[in-house]
Amino acid sequence: MTRTIVITGGTHGIGRALARHHAERGDQVVAVGSGSRPHEDAPNIRFVRSDLSSLRQTHDLVARLAAEHPVIDALILGAFRFNPVRVETEEGFEHTFALYVLNRHLMAEGLRGPLQRAAAPVIVNLCGAGRGGRIHWDDLQLKNGYRPLTATLQGARAAELLGAAYASEHVRYVLYNPVFVATGLHEPFRQPLRGLVRAASALFAQPVARAIPPIAALVDRPPAEPLTTWRRGRRLDHAVDAHEARRFAETVRALSERRPPG
Ligand SMILES: NC(=O)c1ccc[n+]([C@@H]2O[C@H](COP(=O)([O-])OP(=O)(O)OC[C@H]3O[C@@H](n4cnc5c(N)ncnc54)[C@H](OP(=O)(O)O)[C@@H]3O)[C@@H](O)[C@H]2O)c1
């Protein structure tokens, strides 16, 4: 039976490779990105443009996807942008938080109905799980002393907490850290850092084609446990504080309901 797979960030890097992989195997893929349609024309992949750092656009996208796809088999969360300097969205959120945290919460929550109707549904959150990030409870939007790595690590910790809060017996939640994969990692940087990151990527990063099979395998055969954490194809024994997970999910839910008028 044809499966439906929604991939945020399905237009570049790991997300695009996963989109092509599953489409070639006969799945129906919806690939979401904020830029222009990818050049090549791939059958079974429908491109949807949406700026997922916007709560308003994410709410609209979720409503549209839920109406168009009563059953969704897999949701792969991969939209990400590394922000060397602090950027604030029109809705007043730090950009990394908006895209890496609020968007991923809303996608998982908003598509819960279509996912629950699938036979073996799974959410795969591509993130930096297991890297020891922390939530800056007193300054979630990192207004004081923004650092790009701090924002990225906070997002990674947020993924762990949201995964713990949302995983269920039926909709499995997979936290997947690809570690270092040769995508467009150098692009956000200026020279000379750009050249250094490009060189490090060429030397040490895993080619995208090698990074894909273990992720696709988890989509095809979700693990038995509700929540699992993976690092480059290897399972991690990783515990999350249930109390912090609940507290964080409630906080994120309240923030993401702050819907601007119009
Ligand atoms: N590559 C690694 O070494 C590595 C390591 C650890 C974790 N990860 C995680 O793996 C995931 C994929 O990484 P990647 O390296 O493949 O990323 P990538 O090549 O930079 O691609 C990012 C994707 O996100 C989309 N995107 C960015 N901003 C968006 C927005 N505002 N709205 C909608 N889509 C947006 C981009 O499309 P548009 O440009 O069209 O918007 C693109 O399709 C990320 O979640 C990342 O955190 C990657």
Side-chain angles (χ1 to χ4, degrees):
M1 215 173 78
T2 307
R3 298 181 309 168
T4 299
I5 301 180
V6 174
I7 307 180
T8 70
T11 53
H12 293 281
I14 300 170
R16 176 163 82 165
L18 282 169
R20 295 183 65 83
H21 172 95
H22 287 289
E24 278 163 14
R25 277 155 185 74
D27 297 325
Q28 190 61 48
V29 176
V30 180
V32 189
S34 67
S36 52
R37 173 186 297 275
H39 292 306
E40 73 270 36
D41 201 19
N44 291 357
I45 303 180
R46 186 161 71 93
F47 169 67
V48 176
R49 181 180 296 120
S50 178
D51 178 357
L52 299 177
S53 68
S54 154
L55 285 185
R56 186 180 54 76
Q57 291 196 36
T58 301
H59 279 292
D60 291 349
L61 175 76
V62 162
R64 180 177 159 192
L65 290 176
E68 289 173 355
H69 302 281
V71 180
I72 293 175
D73 297 273
L75 170 65
I76 301 175
L77 300 168
F80 180 74
R81 187 90 71 216
F82 184 81
N83 294 298
V85 295
R86 187 176 186 279
V87 176
E88 204 163 283
T89 66
E90 281 178 8
E91 295 161 343
F93 296 103
E94 187 275 312
H95 187 274
T96 316
F97 192 88
L99 184 60
Y100 203 2
V101 183
L102 297 178
N103 171 262
R104 293 184 185 209
H105 154 75
L106 282 176
M107 298 293 302
E109 193 82 319
L111 297 178
R112 199 189 282 274
L115 282 161
Q116 277 173 339
R117 284 182 210 110
V122 62
I123 298 172
V124 177
N125 193 335
L126 298 173
C127 59
R131 283 190 62 197
R134 71 176 180 90
I135 303 299
H136 296 258
W137 283 103
D138 54 344
D139 184 20
L140 286 177
Q141 304 307 316
L142 302 177
K143 289 189 174 161
N144 307 312
Y146 174 87
R147 287 199 182 153
L149 195 59
T150 307
T152 306
L153 286 173
Q154 173 167 260
R157 177 69 181 154
E160 295 170 2
L161 296 172
L162 293 180
Y166 300 147
S168 71
E169 287 298 328
H170 187 54
V171 184
R172 313 284 159 72
Y173 202 108
V174 170
L175 296 160
Y176 193 96
N177 183 349
V179 183
F180 192 19
V181 181
T183 55
L185 293 172
H186 58 283
E187 282 164 13
F189 300 100
R190 291 205 194 142
Q191 294 293 14
L193 199 51
R194 190 181 173 100
L196 285 174
V197 175
R198 191 199 286 267
S201 182
L203 283 172
F204 304 115
Q206 193 178 42
V208 176
R210 287 220 348 248
I212 296 313
I215 308 172
L218 289 164
V219 172
D220 291 341
R221 290 175 299 283
E225 297 88 339
L227 176 70
T228 53
T229 308
W230 301 77
R231 194 182 144 89
R232 202 180 254 182
R234 286 199 15 245
R235 176 99 180 254
L236 290 185
D237 191 11
H238 185 64
V240 175
D241 175 0
H243 173 71
E244 192 183 18
R246 264 196 308 278
R247 181 184 171 203
F248 189 66
E250 276 162 25
T251 303
V252 168
R253 187 165 293 126
L255 287 174
S256 61
E257 278 162 9
R258 245 174 45 187
R259 200 176 174 171

